[in-house]
């Protein structure tokens, strides 16, 4: 038993998939809260939101909301998982390396934590408890049927 715990050979076990689901829910909801705050204050923030890409503050704010709110929802349920994670990772890269580049690490630490977790989750995949897994199984079933 301890050997299997220390050296797992099956990455998509039920335990691993449950852990991935819990991490998706926790970090997805946490990031989604940032997106909800930005969306709720869109009018006020659109004039002062950082514009690191030179697209204009309202567009930069909209892209941040998309990455933090819409993509977080897809991340939580595991729908188009890796595709949804690209804007989330990109948003955290911009926040950490550009927007907060000159700030103390304590200020940009949260963006760094999100970035590391999202990169690890991107690599790990959504696990069994995801919409993508259900769709994938259905596609395999239909392919074998025909």
């Amino acid at each position: 038993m301890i050997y299997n715990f220390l050296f797992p050979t099956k990455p998509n076990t039920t335990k691993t998939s449950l852990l991935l689901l819990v991490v998706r829910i926790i970090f997805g909801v946490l990031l989604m809260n940032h997106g909800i705050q930005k969306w709720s204050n869109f009018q006020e923030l659109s004039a002062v939101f950082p514009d690191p890409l030179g697209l204009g503050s309202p567009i930069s704010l909209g892209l941040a909301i998309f990455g933090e709110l819409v993509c977080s929802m897809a991340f939580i349920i595991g729908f188009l998982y890796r595709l949804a994670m690209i804007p989330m990772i990109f948003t955290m890269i911009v926040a950490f390396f550009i927007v907060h580049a000159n700030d103390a690490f304590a200020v940009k630490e949260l963006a760094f934590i999100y970035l590391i977790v999202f990169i690890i989750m991107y690599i790990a995949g959504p696990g069994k408890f995801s919409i993508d897994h259900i769709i994938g199984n259905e596609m395999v079933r239909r392919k074998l049927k025909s």
Side-chain angles (χ1 to χ4, degrees), residues 30-44:
L30 288 172
L31 188 64
M32 193 169 34
N33 283 329
H34 291 280
I36 290 170
Q37 289 173 355
K38 287 178 178 73
W39 186 33
S40 299
N41 299 310
F42 187 87
Q43 291 299 324
E44 298 85 24

Side-chain angles (χ1 to χ4, degrees), residues 7 10 16 83 86 115 120 142:
F7 307 105
K10 297 178 183 175
T16 303
L83 189 61
I86 292 170
L115 177 61
I120 291 169
R142 287 184 181 185

Side-chain angles (χ1 to χ4, degrees), residues 22-121:
V22 169
V23 172
R24 284 194 342 249
I25 291 170
I26 290 170
F27 282 91
V29 168
L30 288 172
L31 188 64
M32 193 169 34
N33 283 329
H34 291 280
I36 290 170
Q37 289 173 355
K38 287 178 178 73
W39 186 33
S40 299
N41 299 310
F42 187 87
Q43 291 299 324
E44 298 85 24
L45 287 175
S46 64
V48 296
F49 196 77
D51 182 25
L53 304 176
L55 301 171
S57 288
I59 293 174
S60 293
L61 178 58
L63 291 172
I65 291 169
F66 176 76
E68 293 177 358
L69 182 60
V70 177
C71 293
S72 286
M73 288 187 260
F75 173 71
I76 290 168
I77 64 172
F79 179 66
L80 299 175
Y81 179 80
R82 287 192 170 109
L83 189 61
M85 291 195 73
I86 292 170
M88 294 166 63
I89 291 170
F90 183 77
T91 300
M92 292 305 111
I93 287 171
V94 170
F96 183 76
F97 290 106
I98 300 172
V99 174
H100 297 292
N102 297 323
D103 295 341
F105 186 76
V107 174
K108 57 186 173 182
E109 180 179 14
L110 187 58
F112 183 71
I113 291 169
Y114 280 127
L115 177 61
I116 298 304
V117 168
F118 293 153
I119 289 171
I120 291 169
M121 291 298 289

